[in-house]
Amino acid sequence: MTNRVTPHDALIFVMVMASAVDNSMNEKELRRIGQLIDILPVFAGFEKERLIEVSQRCAEILAGQEGLDIALETIKDAMPPHAYRAAYALAVEIMAVDLAVKPEEIRFLQLLRDRLNLDKLTCAAIEHSAVIRYRSL
């Protein structure tokens, strides 16, 4: 694998980090990551067999000194600015799938929002849409 992180890789980093931030990557979250890669147009052209490799690379970055900060900067640098909202939406989606958002996950969303310079109103709209999608009748 090259050292270059692609925009697809960066989006996967976001989803992996969103799943792992509470120290528990559960089956629902992992399954949802795979589903999103399969169905979303933003992942067109991504070779799904690279998913484990990209996830491991994210884990290696996170394990290093100042790993979270480096991973967030890597994500920002790898994507065009118009994709930042999609990255935030993917993080919210992965966190929402188990119907419980923990304080560590909220903190990660704040860090992601700040690093990507997303406004609070946009982020609130993305978060609210996830609440609506996962609410039962």
Side-chain angles (χ1 to χ4, degrees):
M1 178 163 104
T2 67
N3 286 333
R4 184 177 169 283
V5 175
T6 69
H8 288 142
D9 295 352
L11 292 173
I12 291 167
F13 279 25
V14 168
M15 292 189 293
V16 167
M17 292 168 68
S19 178
V21 72
D22 62 356
N23 295 315
S24 164
M25 294 182 76
N26 69 50
E27 186 61 35
K28 282 184 180 180
E29 292 169 337
L30 295 174
R31 188 173 33 247
R32 189 65 178 144
I33 289 170
Q35 291 169 341
L36 292 171
I37 291 170
D38 285 339
I39 65 171
L40 292 179
V42 74
F43 288 108
F46 179 74
E47 299 167 1
K48 193 171 179 185
E49 60 273 3
R50 289 190 56 239
L51 178 57
I52 292 173
E53 174 188 342
V54 174
S55 299
Q56 288 172 336
R57 183 162 182 209
C58 178
E60 289 170 7
I61 291 170
L62 290 170
Q65 190 173 7
E66 298 183 37
L68 179 60
D69 192 52
I70 291 170
L72 288 170
E73 196 62 26
T74 299
I75 289 164
K76 181 179 181 181
D77 291 346
M79 288 189 305
H82 70 268
Y84 293 169
R85 289 177 297 198
Y88 191 86
L90 288 171
V92 169
E93 182 72 20
I94 297 306
M95 291 176 181
V97 76
D98 62 6
L99 305 177
V101 180
K102 298 177 180 87
E104 306 87 24
E105 294 171 323
I106 293 169
R107 181 65 183 136
F108 173 71
L109 288 176
Q110 291 170 338
L111 292 170
L112 185 62
R113 179 191 71 214
D114 292 347
R115 185 60 55 110
L116 300 180
N117 298 313
L118 296 172
D119 67 272
K120 289 181 182 181
L121 189 58
T122 296
C123 293
I126 291 168
E127 293 161 11
H128 186 68
S129 70
V131 169
I132 291 168
R133 280 194 310 282
Y134 286 97
R135 181 178 292 154
S136 61
L137 292 176

